[in-house]
Amino acid sequence: LAKTTQPISMDSYEGQEVNITCSHNNIATNDYITWYQQFPSQGPRFIIQGYKTKVTNEVASLFIPADRKSSTLSLPRVSLSDTAVYYCLVGDMGNDYKLSFGAGTTVTVRA
Amino acid sequence: GAGVSQSPSNKVTEKGKDVELRCDPISGHTALYWYRQRLGQGLEFLIYFQGNSAPDKSGLPSDRFSAERTGESVSTLTIQRTQQEDSAVYLCASSLEEGFTYEQYFGPGTRLTVT
């Protein structure tokens, strides 16, 4: 599993856009990038997954540059309820099944 | 539909006692995973089931930990002779198939406290 590095914490205010960048310099050809979100006292929840360029869903966007050595999760117009820990994971679509969670990025949204 | 459920939600036990943690995955999900999360840390993989078989037990911390799955459904994680370092939240997840690109659906976890 490719090693990922992401900031420990980020602060934001309601209505702002939050961008969390994850570094994965040794990403392999068959690797995908996935982000999970975890609220206090809950299990993680899948947010978004991508391989290259840009992916968007109703919750977030994921930007992946051409070299794929990093990725940025973008949360538009955050609210207090977006306060959570966000995990960036990289894994082989065919061979990896267990998820390797680091410490994640704690995002705190203030009023 | 119903998500992944776990029971009990909280368990307090004395050091040295055995505990059983239960996971009910989403119906039809062939893959099932157990993770452990210590306070303020990320998740630590314990064991993975494909159907009723456990091809990867590499994350189990010691031989005091065991798990089984029956009927390609319910799974039980058993910890024998609990120690204080076993205190953590134990999370179960299931996915339609094995593989990184299959979303893992997590249960709410069982918070285990060993006194």
Side-chain angles (χ1 to χ4, degrees):
Chain A
L1 294 168
K3 177 177 170 59
T4 61
T5 303
Q6 53 185 121
I8 299 285
S9 64
M10 297 181 72
D11 287 345
S12 185
Y13 291 91
E14 284 190 293
Q16 291 189 333
E17 179 181 83
V18 172
N19 296 305
I20 310 170
T21 296
C22 177
S23 298
H24 28 80
N25 291 317
N26 59 340
I27 191 168
T29 302
N30 289 338
D31 285 347
Y32 276 69
I33 301 154
T34 305
W35 287 79
Y36 279 77
Q37 172 192 54
Q38 185 176 26
F39 297 113
S41 301
Q42 293 187 28
R45 182 176 74 110
F46 173 92
I47 301 176
I48 198 166
Q49 182 178 86
Y51 183 79
K52 62 180 180 180
T53 63
K54 177 182 175 182
V55 180
T56 297
N57 61 24
E58 65 278 5
V59 176
S61 293
L62 179 60
F63 298 91
I64 306 168
D67 66 5
R68 306 202 321 125
K69 292 184 183 300
S70 67
S71 58
T72 299
L73 175 73
S74 181
L75 307 171
R77 299 178 299 282
V78 294
S79 64
L80 296 176
S81 62
D82 292 314
T83 293
V85 180
Y86 293 82
Y87 298 96
C88 167
L89 294 85
V90 172
D92 186 311
M93 61 172 290
N95 295 318
D96 291 329
Y97 45 83
K98 57 188 176 185
L99 302 181
S100 178
F101 288 79
T105 297
T106 299
V107 172
T108 303
V109 180
R110 306 181 193 280
Chain B
V4 177
S5 61
Q6 292 186 245
S7 60
S9 55
N10 281 286
K11 176 71 176 179
V12 180
T13 190
E14 292 180 352
K15 177 182 173 181
K17 296 285 180 67
D18 297 351
V19 295
E20 280 192 356
L21 312 180
R22 177 186 168 108
C23 172
D24 285 86
I26 293 173
S27 177
H29 280 194
T30 63
L32 185 147
Y33 314 81
W34 283 96
Y35 296 86
R36 177 169 71 178
Q37 186 170 33
R38 293 200 164 102
L39 189 63
Q41 299 185 19
L43 279 69
E44 173 189 0
F45 169 80
L46 297 178
I47 188 170
Y48 147 71
F49 287 91
Q50 178 58 34
N52 293 332
S53 301
D56 187 349
K57 304 178 184 179
S58 63
L60 294 179
S62 73
D63 59 8
R64 295 186 296 105
F65 287 72
S66 63
E68 66 173 11
R69 188 181 184 194
T70 57
E72 298 198 356
S73 180
V74 174
S75 176
T76 303
L77 176 68
T78 301
I79 309 173
Q80 295 179 312
R81 304 180 303 282
T82 52
Q83 303 294 313
Q84 288 187 330
E85 63 262 28
D86 299 334
S87 295
V89 175
Y90 290 81
L91 290 155
C92 173
S94 70
S95 61
L96 190 61
E97 296 282 349
E98 67 176 65
F100 186 79
T101 53
Y102 287 94
E103 178 179 346
Q104 291 191 18
Y105 295 81
F106 284 81
T110 293
R111 181 176 299 277
L112 175 66
T113 303
V114 182
T115 61

